Amino acid sequence: MDVLVINCGSSSLKYQLINTDTEEVLASGMCDRIGINDGKFSYKPKGKDKIEQNIDMPDHEVAIKIVLNALINPKDGIIKSLDLIKAIGHRIVHGGEHFTHSALINDEVLRHIEECADLAPLHNPAHLLGIRACAHLMPETPMVAVFDTAFHQTMPPRAYIYGLPNEYYEKYKIRRYGFHGTSHSYVSKRTAEFLGIPLENSKIITCHLGNGSSICAVENGKSVDTSMGLTPLEGLVMGTRSGDIDPAIIDYIAQKENLSTKEVLNILNKKSGVLGISGLSSDFRDLLAADEAGDLKARFAREVFAYRVAKYIGAYTAALTGVDAISFCAGVGENAKFIRGKIVSHLQFLGITLDEKANLETVGKEGIISTKDSKVRVCVIPTNEELMIARDTCAIVSKHK
């Protein structure tokens, strides 16, 4: 089955066309600057060169139409007809408590996604735009919503309840939800498979480290705790997000700087993290280059990030009462050798020793970076959220035929 995977942001759209029988990516690309001047479109068909164009895209429907036209273009298209796309899978950031699994999209599902918009105001409204655009352009093609939060719905109440008056949970469902669930699900399953350990009898900590970062404790294939919370702001220090802070800081900054709560939250979301600490960049590649050039703030930002990751791994080892494997994934986890090394250096109490050579050689590919005599195996497992979305979409659509 050919499945089109769509990931809509407020001004961007990532896509992949995946054949779920072979799990090959037939085409992939991105639409950027939707609704903004100087739109950019990229398209990479299997076995051919990447195509990049500057095209104005006033809205998501125009962007998706450009994607569909590229897929069937007589010269560079990868399929002969849109009828060959049997389903569309949409990444949805927030599903609240309602969705514990991916779901076939209908009016009720759309209503629940909309209800969660105040929990993910930068994401869910954009996802809805993508869903409605696809429904208008391909009305006969079934669509599936795959939720970032669904994997974490197995967390026990002791892990997701905040120390607030219970009425706020009862009235507003304020609790830990967690994100990157599709990634954590894929990486935990792949880690067990890669290491040859039974998923149903395993304790795995997955570290999704990128501009947005989160860690998940996975026991027997199920999420039991994760670092992001009600929103993706909680947890690790990230690219531009502060992660965990004393909540009183918000009012303190607001009073000192004469700012509103909303303005302070904007600082915590967009001007903090390694960007705020380094004063340089949120991109870990920029920090690496600056560090190597002798920038002490860039080095310090990277060390803070690594320290926070190690702290969470230690906490989740306690939550799991032990750990069989730790896996790194996403842009930083898969590529940042120095940061992985710094993290592992804090974990020697677990009986882990870093294999320096393996760590240097394992970049963007699967591998074990701990020594053979380590009590806990440490892996790099590149994530594949799009494949997980395609798998879920195929399974649900096949079930409802």
Side-chain angles (χ1 to χ4, degrees):
M1 178 187 292
D2 287 353
V3 173
L4 180 61
V5 175
I6 298 287
N7 180 359
C8 276
S10 57
S11 62
S12 65
L13 183 155
K14 296 178 183 177
Y15 66 92
Q16 285 191 11
L17 183 66
I18 297 175
N19 181 285
T20 56
D21 298 324
T22 63
E23 299 197 336
E24 286 184 299
V25 177
L26 303 180
S28 63
M30 183 172 183
C31 301
D32 201 11
R33 299 180 62 83
I34 298 171
I36 306 171
N37 291 335
D38 303 319
K40 297 183 184 301
F41 170 70
S42 68
Y43 170 66
K44 173 66 175 71
K46 179 188 172 186
K48 298 182 180 179
D49 293 335
K50 184 177 182 179
I51 298 167
E52 295 181 303
Q53 296 175 303
N54 293 326
I55 306 175
D56 282 341
M57 294 170 276
D59 55 41
H60 285 74
E61 184 162 331
V62 171
I64 290 172
K65 189 177 290 186
I66 290 169
V67 170
L68 297 177
N69 287 340
L71 292 173
I72 59 171
N73 183 290
K75 181 182 178 183
D76 299 302
I78 206 73
I79 54 175
K80 292 182 178 180
S81 166
L82 293 180
D83 292 337
L84 295 174
I85 299 175
K86 299 302 181 183
I88 302 172
H90 291 267
R91 180 227 179 183
I92 310 295
V93 164
H94 219 306
E97 286 191 325
H98 188 80
F99 296 102
T100 59
H101 297 90
S102 302
L104 191 70
I105 294 175
N106 54 29
D107 290 342
E108 182 184 5
V109 170
L110 284 173
R111 179 170 57 81
H112 284 298
I113 294 172
E114 199 158 13
E115 287 171 354
C116 291
D118 59 344
L119 295 174
L122 299 178
H123 297 93
N124 277 32
H127 301 326
L128 287 166
L129 289 173
I131 290 170
R132 288 170 177 144
C134 288
H136 185 248
L137 294 169
M138 301 178 69
E140 302 303 317
T141 306
M143 296 189 291
V144 170
V146 181
F147 300 92
D148 274 8
T149 49
F151 180 62
H152 302 301
Q153 286 297 300
T154 53
M155 285 191 294
R158 67 173 182 268
Y160 68 68
I161 287 293
Y162 289 118
L164 298 169
N166 198 52
E167 63 186 280
Y168 297 132
Y169 170 68
E170 292 176 347
K171 287 196 294 186
Y172 309 119
K173 300 301 178 186
I174 295 176
R175 50 158 286 184
R176 179 183 310 282
Y177 287 100
F179 299 90
H180 296 137
T182 307
S183 176
H184 289 300
S185 176
Y186 173 83
V187 172
S188 58
K189 290 177 174 64
R190 179 59 193 149
T191 298
E193 184 181 27
F194 180 66
L195 295 177
I197 60 178
L199 183 66
E200 65 279 3
N201 185 27
S202 63
K203 296 178 179 181
I204 297 169
I205 296 173
T206 51
C207 305
H208 181 107
L209 308 180
N211 194 274
S213 299
S214 67
I215 298 184
C216 185
V218 185
E219 186 169 21
N220 305 332
K222 296 181 179 180
S223 171
V224 296
D225 208 341
T226 191
S227 58
M228 284 181 168
L230 175 74
T231 75
L233 181 57
E234 188 181 357
L236 300 171
V237 168
M238 304 176 223
T240 63
R241 287 172 242 173
S242 66
D244 298 336
I245 62 167
D246 179 343
I249 290 172
I250 296 173
D251 183 63
Y252 189 81
I253 293 175
Q255 297 292 334
K256 291 291 185 181
E257 296 286 327
N258 193 28
L259 299 172
S260 67
T261 300
K262 185 176 181 180
E263 288 171 322
V264 177
L265 286 172
N266 185 63
I267 292 169
L268 298 182
N269 270 296
K270 297 182 179 180
K271 299 179 180 180
S272 301
V274 296
L275 169 63
I277 295 169
S278 69
L280 176 68
S281 176
S282 63
D283 191 314
F284 284 82
R285 292 167 295 188
D286 294 340
L287 297 180
L288 170 62
D291 182 356
E292 291 177 339
D295 189 313
L296 296 180
K297 286 187 177 180
R299 172 166 286 248
F300 181 60
R302 298 171 81 214
E303 288 178 342
V304 169
F305 177 80
Y307 176 69
R308 292 292 182 90
V309 173
K311 275 179 64 175
Y312 261 101
I313 292 173
Y316 286 170
T317 300
L320 292 168
T321 64
V323 60
D324 298 315
I326 298 164
S327 283
F328 293 108
C329 69
V332 175
E334 293 166 24
N335 299 289
K337 299 165 286 188
F338 171 85
I339 288 176
R340 290 194 310 236
K342 292 293 287 186
I343 293 167
V344 174
S345 72
H346 287 288
L347 303 176
Q348 293 177 14
F349 73 98
L350 292 174
I352 298 172
T353 306
L354 183 72
D355 184 327
E356 300 281 357
K357 184 173 183 290
N359 185 44
L360 290 174
E361 293 175 348
T362 308
V363 177
K365 62 181 181 180
E366 292 184 345
I368 299 172
I369 60 171
S370 53
T371 57
K372 291 182 179 179
D373 60 352
S374 290
K375 293 181 180 179
V376 179
R377 285 177 283 185
V378 181
C379 305
V380 176
I381 303 289
T383 191
N384 198 332
E385 295 169 278
E386 291 80 11
L387 178 57
M388 283 295 290
I389 293 170
R391 285 174 177 173
D392 273 14
T393 300
C394 177
I396 289 173
V397 169
S398 299
K399 183 179 176 181
H400 285 84
K401 276 185 178 179

